Amino acid sequence: MSGETRVDLKKLKPYGDIMGDGTVQLCFTLPVEPSPEAREAAVQLVQKMGFDPVKVATMEKAADGFALFVIYGNTKFSLDFTKIKVLKIEAKKRSREVIDEIIRTQIGRKLIVLGACTGYDAHTVGIDAIMNMKGFAGDYGLERYKGLDARNLGAQVLNDDLLKLAVQEKADVILVSKVVSQHGIHIKDMKTLVERATKMGLRDKMIFVAGGPRVTHPMALECGFDAGFGVGTKPSEVASFILEEYLNRQAQSQAKTKKRK
Amino acid sequence: MAHLDLDPKIIARCRELAKKTASPIEKMIQTHSTVAIERATLRLLGVNGAVLQKGGGGNQTFPEANLIVDKMMQTQSIENGVLHGFVNGMIQKKMPAPELSRAVATGKIDLNTLPRISDTELRLKAKELCQKASEHLLSQREQRDSIRKEVGDSFSVHREQGPLLYVIVATGNIYDDVIQARAAAQVGADAIAVIRSTAQSLLDYVPHGATTEGFGGTYATQENFKIMRAALDEESRKLGRYIRLTNYCSGLCMPEIAALGAMERLDFLLNDAMYGILFRDINMKRTLIDQHFSRLIIALSRIVIHTGEDNYLTTADAIENGHQVLASQFINECFALHAHMKEDLMGLGHAQEMNPEHPNVFLLEIARAQMTRDIFPNAPIKFMPPTRYKCGDIFYSHLMDAMFNFVGVLTGQSIQLLGMATEAMHTPLLQDRWMSIKNAKYIFNGARDLGKDISFKPNGIIQEWSKKVLKDTLEHLEMIERKGLFKAIEERAFAEVKRTETGGKGHDGVFLKGPNYINPFSDLL
């Protein structure tokens, strides 16, 4: 035993109480009655997942024909943490009050945000969580922001209609929520939106943001968006990004104007 | 039971103000109907088929009730009610309702071009048909009562063993929902709500048939109601305990869902006089007219409604806005009474949604829950779990639910929607529900008679908070009464949401009743 208690970032493993123990807690059900066979099946399944040893903390009857397990296992896998790279949204996180204040003092007008579930997507839970007053996880939605004129267009808004409205309303930001992802429909819809926007000369005039359970930031960038947010995103994170992106663009265009002068 | 020292004079004054507020709206309700009410009327007469529609995304069915009413809207022949044309058609063509509706929906018969019988004859026949339909609802109600009696049913406003254990299923597939519902019942759930597919409330028709694909829930259809009720009947018999079924009687099809729910023996319906206006941006008039008709059906079928005030607290701050909930409960009560509902059918809703980090938050939550109990002593109060401050930390979330269960049993709530540790992550998995039910059973059992064994300290934090909320409620109701309900909603009286009288969805489906309007259900229900 080396007695080593410092983390080895080259071989990162889950930690319980001894560095490198690889302890993981698992909870799942198997669609069979609890029985010694069910317990053995759970152990073997968890071993197949790469855990050893495996300790069954409990096997319970969760319903007729369903056994529930709480299991602790020690994983044999480790990872080189120094090699991990993630493409991230770099915007500084700000509170609603701060964002409103910056918009008031530095922009001097409300930013117009149009949000929608596009295509045939009728699943508004994501766009509602971000846009509606209520917000998400105690974080108020964009409608609550004094500095934003946020309008939730709801479900099944076609790309063309969204862009038409964006022109008419002089939108600063387009928020697109994509939940349905069968056959990659979300990617197709997102790409089409940006293509149409580019043709209409809107791509650089507006900020394009996507969100949804299958949306990631790198994937959104690939579709031509400015940012992508996944599950669990809070409205203030989206607002923070919008603000920073807007200010960056404002600074860039001011710099250009100065040069010309 | 420990009670609060609330001034009965203030409570009485609140009820009086709610009544005054509702009064002009009740007049408006009497003189108007909506496309949804007309469709519900057809459905009660047995028009529950759907026809295949070409175009769109492949083969889609569309309800006959919609096709018939839409046609009448287009030809401006709706003002005297759908029965005017439809019953005339039944007489002229000597066809029963389902046969005629199929023929009209497929374009084989045009109701507008048929010869007309006299209004007297028409009214007689319409009354006879509606009479038969309400008798059917009564027989469905009796059948439900007899199953409850057969298997045993402990539900009451003040249940000895604590609140009713109520959980949701939401797989999107009715057959998977059945598996989840049975599993929940087996470990102790007393009531199952099948969550609807997102945005169904905005569909101006009720989808048809058994459905296996939904988003965040399962479509409310007559067939899905039937499938789930049959499974729960079977499970009730197996367990020797009646399991209730809930669905959503809200949105643009509120009256139709009430009709279908009544026909398929549902026990609970989420039904609120104002929810659609505030949270679904459905037109005010449409919502208020629709809720009345839906509640007439609900009253006859003795379905317990759940009102939606819990939602206010997810939008507006729960500590600051408790009075909005209470004010809305008074208004909901008033509209329910107007639709002949008895107090024991009014599952007035509220929720435990205060910031968990607020000092003494449980004292404030106890005050709110207890005052709801004390102000509506004969109503089966529905208590909703924390959602707003939940995130992925399932362990903390489970603890929040435990405290919610504690407040529920302590204050004698009637129906407890159990919180899920995975709230805000996914629709509940089998194990989430199992864990949640175990949590509730443990606490309801362990603290069963605590409420009877304590009293609230005079002038203590709990008593004072409840007095403050009641006082705020009185002021809020005074303001609403002074401005009128429409204007008050326009000025964000509830949930900090602003709506306008002619704005919102479904306004074009509201119409003024013509001089010869016929709908015998208004008297029969």
Side-chain angles (χ1 to χ4, degrees):
Chain A
M1 294 291 279
S2 65
E4 181 59 72
T5 56
R6 279 187 19 218
V7 59
D8 179 358
L9 290 179
K10 296 256 176 208
K11 286 183 185 164
L12 188 69
K13 273 185 145 192
Y15 171 82
D17 65 348
I18 297 166
M19 194 52 72
D21 59 19
T23 303
V24 172
Q25 38 190 120
L26 299 114
C27 175
F28 58 87
T29 71
L30 289 178
V32 290
E33 278 292 313
S35 65
E37 289 77 15
R39 178 190 294 263
E40 181 56 26
V43 170
Q44 288 192 22
L45 269 168
V46 174
Q47 279 169 344
K48 277 192 171 179
M49 295 174 200
F51 294 100
D52 189 54
V54 171
K55 280 177 285 184
V56 178
T58 190
M59 173 175 70
E60 306 267 344
K61 185 179 166 86
D64 289 349
F66 289 95
L68 175 135
F69 297 89
V70 177
I71 289 181
Y72 285 82
N74 299 80
T75 181
K76 59 185 183 203
F77 297 117
S78 68
L79 210 77
D80 185 350
F81 189 67
T82 62
K83 298 255 167 70
I84 301 278
K85 292 271 178 295
V86 177
L87 210 50
K88 281 178 297 198
I89 292 169
E90 302 289 355
K92 185 181 163 198
K93 288 202 179 72
R94 295 178 163 106
S95 71
R96 178 169 56 100
E97 292 78 7
V98 172
I99 292 169
D100 280 342
E101 185 56 21
I102 296 176
I103 293 177
R104 195 178 66 81
T105 53
Q106 296 186 32
I107 300 174
R109 67 169 178 92
K110 286 184 180 209
L111 295 181
I112 298 166
V113 183
L114 298 185
C117 285
T118 57
Y120 289 101
D121 205 332
H123 206 177
T124 61
V125 63
I127 197 74
D128 286 350
I130 300 299
M131 300 288 285
N132 292 4
M133 288 265 172
K134 171 176 174 171
F136 170 67
D139 196 269
Y140 287 122
L142 302 187
E143 287 178 358
R144 254 294 176 98
Y145 285 66
K146 292 198 183 81
L148 300 177
D149 179 354
R151 298 175 219 167
N152 186 352
L153 306 176
Q156 300 187 328
V157 179
L158 299 178
N159 280 338
D160 283 353
D161 293 344
L162 178 60
L163 292 174
K164 227 183 276 168
L165 198 69
V167 173
Q168 191 186 313
E169 301 294 320
K170 299 195 172 67
D172 298 292
V173 186
I174 306 266
L175 284 189
V176 168
S177 174
K178 298 302 288 180
V179 175
V180 179
S181 54
Q182 274 105 337
H183 312 297
I185 182 77
H186 59 312
I187 297 175
K188 215 173 106 194
D189 278 354
M190 283 166 65
K191 282 187 174 161
T192 320
L193 181 78
V194 174
E195 277 163 23
R196 305 283 304 162
T198 311
K199 269 190 198 148
M200 292 165 74
L202 302 173
R203 180 60 194 90
D204 299 327
K205 287 188 190 146
M206 294 171 189
I207 299 169
F208 286 79
V209 179
R214 302 279 169 270
V215 173
T216 62
H217 184 53
M219 169 270 211
L221 294 181
E222 212 170 286
C223 291
F225 276 67
D226 294 303
F229 291 91
V231 150
T233 301
K234 291 177 180 168
S236 61
E237 294 171 38
V238 177
S240 296
F241 171 78
I242 290 172
L243 175 66
E244 200 149 313
E245 178 70 16
Y246 188 87
L247 292 176
N248 284 344
R249 290 186 184 191
Q250 201 178 36
Q252 276 169 17
S253 76
Q254 275 165 2
K256 267 188 213 159
T257 336
K258 259 187 203 161
K259 252 187 214 165
R260 255 181 262 147
K261 277 178 188 168
Chain B
M1 194 86 203
H3 294 291
L4 298 162
D5 301 322
L6 296 168
D7 184 349
K9 281 197 293 276
I10 302 184
I11 296 172
R13 175 75 185 135
C14 286
R15 284 209 161 88
E16 201 183 300
L17 287 164
K19 207 171 161 186
K20 276 191 183 165
T21 304
S23 169
I25 291 168
E26 282 157 6
K27 284 193 193 97
M28 184 274 294
I29 289 170
Q30 297 309 332
T31 53
H32 288 77
S33 182
T34 73
V35 287
I37 290 175
E38 300 304 319
R39 296 194 302 251
T41 303
L42 285 178
R43 285 186 176 276
L44 287 168
L45 295 192
V47 177
N48 285 307
V51 292
L52 212 58
Q53 294 275 290
K54 284 188 192 122
N59 287 339
Q60 282 218 324
T61 57
F62 200 58
E64 291 167 11
N66 281 72
L67 291 165
I68 296 167
V69 172
D70 288 354
K71 180 84 192 286
M72 287 196 175
M73 282 296 278
Q74 283 155 18
T75 55
Q76 291 173 349
S77 49
I78 195 79
E79 65 159 8
N80 289 325
V82 72
L83 291 185
H84 231 273
F86 193 76
V87 173
N88 182 61
M90 284 176 73
I91 296 168
Q92 301 294 357
K93 288 283 169 188
K94 299 191 176 56
M95 280 181 178
E99 201 184 321
L100 178 67
S101 70
R102 170 63 43 125
V104 176
T106 50
K108 291 192 183 94
I109 292 176
D110 181 355
L111 292 174
N112 287 337
T113 58
L114 296 177
R116 315 273 321 170
I117 54 153
S118 76
D119 258 22
T120 329
E121 249 182 295
L122 192 73
R123 279 179 190 276
L124 220 65
K125 177 74 177 170
K127 192 167 177 195
E128 179 199 316
L129 288 164
C130 293
Q131 181 80 43
K132 226 173 108 194
S134 26
E135 275 160 20
H136 175 62
L137 294 187
L138 283 176
S139 87
Q140 289 300 84
R141 184 180 97 187
E142 277 157 21
Q143 198 192 337
R144 188 184 62 202
D145 289 347
S146 90
I147 297 175
R148 284 180 186 170
K149 214 169 146 192
E150 172 201 329
V151 301
D153 180 24
S154 65
F155 178 62
S156 76
V157 172
H158 304 276
R159 198 168 76 137
E160 225 175 86
Q161 46 292 44
L164 201 78
L165 272 69
Y166 174 32
V167 295
I168 64 164
V169 299
T171 67
N173 177 328
I174 189 63
Y175 301 105
D176 286 324
D177 283 344
V178 164
I179 295 174
Q180 300 269 332
R182 283 181 188 267
Q186 285 160 11
V187 288
D190 301 303
I192 309 286
V194 180
I195 300 288
R196 282 204 298 192
S197 185
T198 338
Q200 187 180 346
S201 53
L202 300 182
L203 296 181
D204 212 343
Y205 65 93
V206 180
H208 186 78
T211 68
T212 54
E213 261 179 66
F215 302 103
T218 307
Y219 285 104
T221 71
Q222 183 173 16
E223 189 59 24
N224 287 350
F225 287 180
K226 205 186 287 248
I227 290 168
M228 185 55 92
R229 190 56 261 173
L232 293 184
D233 283 348
E234 198 183 292
E235 208 59 45
S236 298
R237 290 196 166 102
K238 214 159 72 188
L239 297 168
R241 181 165 56 85
Y242 186 74
I243 312 296
R244 282 175 162 67
L245 176 59
T246 310
N247 212 290
Y248 291 68
C249 186
S250 58
L252 289 168
C253 294
M254 206 190 298
E256 287 175 275
I257 298 283
L260 298 175
M263 289 191 263
E264 301 306 333
R265 291 191 282 110
L266 263 61
D267 303 275
F268 290 159
L269 282 174
L270 272 77
N271 179 273
D272 190 286
M274 299 186 290
Y275 173 87
I277 304 171
L278 300 169
F279 296 98
R280 288 291 173 261
D281 193 14
I282 294 172
N283 175 259
M284 289 187 196
K285 282 185 170 171
R286 171 74 178 259
T287 301
L288 290 161
I289 299 165
D290 280 352
Q291 64 85 29
H292 178 73
F293 193 80
S294 70
R295 284 178 178 190
L296 291 176
I297 298 172
I298 283 167
L300 182 82
S301 297
R302 294 208 192 119
I303 292 168
V304 170
I305 60 163
H306 298 177
T307 63
E309 282 87 353
D310 44 283
N311 293 283
Y312 298 1
L313 301 177
T314 60
T315 314
D317 182 83
I319 295 174
E320 290 163 20
N321 294 299
H323 62 285
Q324 293 187 2
V325 168
L326 187 52
S328 169
Q329 286 167 336
F330 280 121
I331 292 172
N332 252 312
E333 178 188 53
C334 205
F335 282 122
L337 287 170
H338 183 65
H340 319 306
M341 287 178 63
K342 299 266 167 18
E343 279 169 282
D344 65 353
L345 298 181
M346 298 177 200
L348 297 169
H350 66 124
Q352 181 153 319
E353 288 280 16
M354 293 182 193
N355 182 348
E357 286 170 17
H358 189 84
N360 278 326
V361 65
F362 299 125
L363 280 73
L364 305 189
E365 293 286 16
I366 287 168
R368 281 294 298 119
Q370 189 68 55
M371 70 188 297
T372 310
R373 178 71 288 164
D374 287 359
I375 294 168
F376 305 97
N378 304 315
I381 300 298
K382 177 200 66 164
F383 199 24
M384 297 291 279
T387 58
R388 181 172 178 168
Y389 288 93
K390 283 200 164 181
C391 47
D393 181 352
I394 61 169
F395 304 103
Y396 186 62
S397 171
H398 193 53
L399 202 53
M400 285 170 82
D401 291 335
M403 289 311 296
F404 162 69
N405 289 334
F406 184 77
V407 173
V409 68
L410 174 74
T411 57
Q413 304 298 306
S414 313
I415 301 164
Q416 186 105 351
L417 183 79
L418 305 186
M420 293 290 146
T422 52
E423 173 73 41
M425 287 175 60
H426 51 234
T427 52
L429 305 181
L430 190 89
Q431 55 262 48
D432 301 339
R433 223 177 276 103
W434 174 85
M435 197 162 90
S436 171
I437 292 170
K438 200 166 177 180
N439 172 335
K441 279 164 82 174
Y442 164 52
I443 292 164
F444 290 176
N445 176 61
R448 182 164 156 169
D449 292 322
L450 184 60
K452 292 182 193 151
D453 219 51
I454 59 163
S455 56
F456 298 114
K457 185 178 155 190
N459 307 318
I461 297 172
I462 293 174
Q463 293 271 18
E464 289 308 298
W465 186 258
S466 67
K467 283 176 200 163
K468 177 199 173 311
V469 174
L470 183 59
K471 192 177 138 272
D472 291 349
T473 305
L474 180 67
E475 284 167 16
H476 201 56
L477 282 166
E478 275 167 349
M479 180 275 286
I480 293 167
E481 196 268 329
R482 205 169 51 240
K483 291 188 170 160
L485 187 61
F486 289 169
K487 186 84 183 137
I489 292 176
E490 214 174 308
E491 294 178 10
R492 301 179 197 270
F494 299 106
E496 295 177 23
V497 176
K498 172 193 164 80
R499 302 292 183 220
T500 59
E501 195 177 329
T502 51
K505 301 167 192 87
H507 185 238
D508 50 3
V510 176
F511 63 93
L512 193 67
K513 290 179 186 172
N516 291 318
Y517 182 81
I518 298 183
N519 195 337
F521 282 124
S522 314
D523 303 319
L524 289 167
L525 293 171

